[in-house]
Amino acid sequence: MTSLPFTSARGCQVLHVAGSSQYGSRCDLGLTEEAATTRGQNSSGRKHGRAQDILLLAVLLCIGLSGAALYHASSFSLSSLGRGHRLAVSNLGPHYVLQDEADLCPQPKPLFPSRHRVLDEDIERTFSEETFRQKAYEAFGGAIRIPTESYDDMGPVGNDTRWDVFGDLHAYLEKTFPRVFASLDVTKVNTYGTVLHWQGADEAALPVLMTAHQDVVPVDPSTYEDWIQPPYSGLYDGTWIWGRGSCDDKSDLVASLQAVDVLLEHGFEPRRTFVWAFGFDEESSGTQGAGHLAPYLQNRYGTNGFALLLDEGGSAYGTAYGGDVIFAFPALSEKGYLDVQIAVAAPGGHSSVPPPHTAIGMLASAIVQLEAHPHAPTLARHGSAYNAAQCAARYAPAFPEELRRLAREAEGSDAALEALREGLLERFPEEWGPVLRTTQAVDLVWGGVKVNALPERAGAVVNHRIVEDSSVAEVKTHLTSLLRPLATRFDLTMSAFGRAVSAGTGAAGHLDLSVAFGYELDPSPVTPTGPEDPYQVLAGTIRGAVLDSERDGPKGREVVVVVPRIEAGNTDTSRYWNLTRSIVRYSHVREGDRLNGFHTVNEAIRAEGWMESVRFYARFVLNCDEYL
């Protein structure tokens, strides 16, 4: 584990020769008074004084690191420095030594509460109490037991009784967290949308918004017998908490409330205002939940009225590239979204005298044409995918050396950039394929009504997730150009997205492309990551939370790397673009702590892992209150 969260006058740089065990260093050591203030004890329990810490720090950074043989295979640690500022170093190895230099994967310092240090320590003791944990697990399980399923065909609130179950969830949460609902200003939007407002002392400071959703994906009744535990049991079996919503997204919903409750219990009084907004149809259209919450929030807080928005999303943190380097993947943008319906109309008749191609046959040809020509991959310099590749090249122990070299050269060479793109697709197709290209998936298909009747209508819906340097318009153009020759070959007339397209005479029928379900979305804006942007507080909190965790922290891991990426799916944040420029999608969950992923049977989360997310939310509030 390496973290250099102190303030240096002009910085300290650790130099490493890639592929070797040779290290050097150059330092300009100028610790601030805060960084030299003693906090805590070292691993042996001995307290260090200010002079001892500074001396040992100087020796390590300005002398010791030049002796590669001494430190490459050994480990050592320092006591806490400053009010929550720590230094720990161990197992310095190739390619992944943090550098305080302007590079292509800059890392913020790990953040720990300083002004709220005593409060943070008190809260940490609460989190470690078994009685608290058991009570929290039961509170979480109780929310899971309420089946707040949302369906694509649900009508407006008030017109569809399937929404009524959300009232049961509200009653449960208010009973389970009475302190939260009594202390914060609570507003209900469109009946089941919930906004919690915690007023801060500084009214001039922009508030921070955190969001989650109350609804879950429906459980297919035919899969009930495939569940190890009933899908709405909310059971804690000593390791896992079971049930639909345990991972998506009652985990974040209840973790947020639990964190707020603990902060209130310990007397926290925020300087900055904090707001929570909970939608209730994120898994379907989003129109009834976030669709109503967004204008309410904009009217109350103003356009760009929030400093930062944190929602669910991102990827689990863990050793994604092998070795002992922990990577965390908050998403700073989302891919765009487009469902396209491909519909073929053709003359009917008896199937005993068929034409050369039926409507279903021509639709099948269109699907084959589509899948034979996927969208071209792109890797644009300083886009989300490029930055993620640079972070992997810089810190990932198991990253291929050839790709590491290409990443360095890609900054100034178009040939290297192209070779890097192709290399990523070849070596990591499942990981990088969806990141580098607009994806397409044929998810729905229909056609025909009887085996001896020629189909007069056949259709399919193709789902697209659009990369950040493309657009809805570009995807429409691509599909129109791709299928027009097919329409000509089959002698079909053609229309695409409301416009006639020159193709065949229409003797065999008609081909139409349209937006299915009336919804389309361009890729989201990208959250800025400059040194003064709010993102740095979130990223610093992630690094600090992992390094400071009894579960994930000082066990020989030297580096926690935060890698901004693009979210392949879409969250409620697609409704919130006007509220802030700084939107981050991240759930603090470690790899392996979700038993079977999302939206499938045996959804479950490791209880200890979920408690880390409660801890993270509390730390995030304290850090935003202090450092934003």
Side-chain angles (χ1 to χ4, degrees):
M1 175 178 61
T2 297
S3 59
L4 303 177
F6 51 83
T7 303
S8 174
R10 287 178 294 278
C12 178
Q13 184 179 22
V14 180
L15 302 179
H16 171 247
V17 180
S20 76
S21 59
Q22 300 178 17
Y23 291 86
S25 64
R26 60 171 179 265
C27 299
D28 215 340
L29 194 61
L31 293 179
T32 65
E33 181 178 355
E34 175 183 75
T37 303
T38 300
R39 178 195 176 193
Q41 296 179 332
N42 66 2
S43 57
S44 66
R46 180 175 63 86
K47 291 185 178 179
H48 284 282
R50 178 174 183 271
Q52 291 172 300
D53 279 338
I54 293 178
L55 177 61
L56 183 53
L57 179 62
V59 169
L60 290 175
L61 292 179
C62 292
I63 301 174
L65 289 177
S66 62
L70 177 62
Y71 297 118
H72 182 65
S74 66
S75 64
F76 46 87
S77 64
L78 284 176
S79 69
S80 301
L81 289 178
R83 293 184 293 273
H85 296 261
R86 303 169 174 80
L87 169 67
V89 186
S90 67
N91 298 328
L92 294 175
H95 308 304
Y96 46 98
V97 178
L98 290 181
Q99 297 180 325
D100 189 19
E101 64 179 12
D103 60 25
L104 296 175
C105 186
Q107 294 297 302
K109 67 179 183 179
L111 286 183
F112 310 93
S114 176
R115 188 170 70 240
H116 302 303
R117 177 179 61 85
V118 175
L119 173 63
D120 180 60
E121 291 173 346
D122 289 343
I123 290 174
E124 288 291 326
R125 281 190 286 272
T126 296
F127 288 152
S128 67
E129 295 171 358
E130 187 61 24
T131 301
F132 170 82
R133 288 173 175 258
Q134 293 296 326
K135 184 178 178 181
Y137 298 156
E138 176 54 31
F140 183 21
I144 293 170
R145 285 190 280 273
I146 302 172
T148 50
E149 296 179 338
S150 65
Y151 297 84
D152 291 337
D153 63 345
M154 291 176 80
V157 172
N159 295 341
D160 193 324
T161 58
R162 287 177 292 178
W163 295 116
D164 294 350
V165 67
F166 288 87
D168 298 337
L169 178 63
H170 284 209
Y172 173 79
L173 294 176
E174 291 164 12
K175 179 181 179 181
T176 305
F177 299 102
R179 182 165 34 223
V180 174
F181 286 89
S183 302
L184 276 58
D185 177 39
V186 181
T187 302
K188 299 295 179 70
V189 178
N190 196 24
T191 308
Y192 300 120
T194 301
V195 177
L196 303 177
H197 174 104
W198 196 351
Q199 181 61 45
D202 185 356
E203 295 188 2
L206 289 179
V208 171
L209 175 63
M210 285 165 272
T211 58
H213 62 89
Q214 307 165 57
D215 61 311
V216 300
V217 168
V219 176
D220 184 347
S222 68
T223 68
Y224 281 8
E225 293 185 358
D226 298 329
W227 286 73
I228 297 173
Q229 301 294 342
Y232 289 108
S233 67
L235 174 70
Y236 170 52
D237 66 3
T239 301
W240 301 96
I241 299 172
W242 292 83
R244 177 67 89 232
S246 59
C247 296
D248 185 14
D249 182 41
K250 287 181 179 174
S251 47
D252 290 306
L253 171 71
V254 180
S256 296
L257 293 172
Q258 195 74 65
V260 174
D261 190 58
V262 171
L263 289 165
L264 286 166
E265 180 184 8
H266 285 270
F268 174 61
E269 297 180 356
R271 176 187 64 85
R272 182 182 297 272
T273 295
F274 291 89
V275 179
W276 288 262
F278 303 139
F280 57 93
D281 63 342
E282 192 270 353
E283 299 293 2
S284 50
S285 64
T287 57
Q288 296 294 301
H292 283 74
L293 286 166
Y296 168 81
L297 293 168
Q298 187 170 353
N299 289 336
R300 179 168 179 177
Y301 299 97
T303 301
N304 292 322
F306 291 94
L308 175 64
L309 190 165
L310 175 62
D311 190 27
E312 60 157 335
S315 299
Y317 67 88
T319 53
Y321 292 98
D324 57 3
V325 180
I326 295 179
F327 285 82
F329 302 99
L332 303 192
S333 61
E334 287 184 349
K335 297 179 86 171
Y337 186 98
L338 179 65
D339 288 322
V340 174
Q341 177 176 285
I342 304 173
V344 177
H350 201 282
S351 60
S352 62
V353 285
H357 304 284
T358 68
I360 293 176
M362 290 184 284
L363 174 66
S365 295
I367 293 173
V368 169
Q369 177 80 343
L370 194 70
E371 295 195 340
H373 297 85
H375 294 264
T378 62
L379 184 62
R381 281 190 187 90
H382 308 302
S384 296
Y386 179 84
N387 293 339
Q390 290 293 344
C391 287
R394 174 70 185 281
Y395 293 112
F399 203 68
E401 288 301 322
E402 175 63 13
L403 295 186
R404 205 185 303 276
R405 178 187 67 79
L406 288 171
R408 290 194 300 269
E409 296 175 359
E411 187 69 4
S413 166
D414 290 344
L417 180 66
E418 183 176 346
L420 175 62
R421 181 193 68 209
E422 296 307 311
L424 290 170
L425 289 171
E426 180 181 351
R427 297 295 295 270
F428 307 104
E430 292 184 2
E431 178 183 358
W432 286 93
V435 173
L436 296 180
R437 60 161 46 99
T438 293
T439 59
Q440 56 188 24
V442 182
D443 291 329
L444 298 175
V445 64
W446 64 91
V449 294
K450 202 172 186 299
V451 71
N452 63 349
L454 296 174
E456 296 174 305
R457 299 285 186 275
V461 173
V462 185
N463 176 258
H464 298 82
R465 306 299 175 113
I466 307 169
V467 291
E468 65 186 19
D469 56 348
S470 184
S471 65
V472 167
E474 187 173 320
V475 172
K476 290 179 178 180
T477 299
H478 168 79
L479 294 176
T480 302
S481 299
L482 188 64
L483 297 183
R484 179 182 174 186
L486 184 144
T488 301
R489 177 161 63 90
F490 287 137
D491 202 14
L492 302 171
T493 53
M494 181 177 178
S495 55
F497 309 105
R499 296 185 178 183
V501 177
S502 177
T505 67
H510 181 75
L511 172 66
D512 178 69
L513 307 181
S514 62
V515 177
F517 316 120
Y519 179 72
E520 58 187 52
L521 182 71
D522 276 322
S524 75
V526 180
T527 292
T529 59
E532 303 301 321
D533 285 311
Y535 161 80
Q536 301 298 337
V537 176
L538 182 280
T541 300
I542 294 172
R543 296 193 66 217
V546 175
L547 293 173
D548 202 32
S549 168
E550 292 183 3
R551 227 175 140 242
D552 304 310
K555 296 183 178 67
R557 292 191 174 99
E558 63 177 80
V559 177
V560 177
V561 181
V562 181
V563 183
R565 299 190 71 170
I566 184 170
E567 185 79 18
N570 295 106
T571 67
D572 275 342
T573 59
S574 63
R575 309 276 179 175
Y576 297 149
W577 295 354
N578 288 338
L579 300 180
T580 178
R581 295 175 62 241
S582 296
I583 299 177
V584 182
R585 305 145 189 92
Y586 178 75
S587 298
H588 193 70
V589 179
R590 191 177 73 179
E591 63 184 7
D593 282 347
R594 296 181 177 118
L595 180 66
N596 200 31
F598 307 98
H599 300 186
T600 186
V601 299
N602 294 322
E603 184 178 342
I605 192 167
R606 196 183 307 272
E608 287 185 347
W610 176 74
M611 186 56 62
E612 286 296 320
S613 68
V614 177
R615 181 175 168 270
F616 171 81
Y617 279 118
R619 180 69 64 80
F620 178 67
V621 169
L622 294 178
N623 281 344
C624 285
D625 196 63
E626 178 172 353
Y627 296 111
L628 264 185

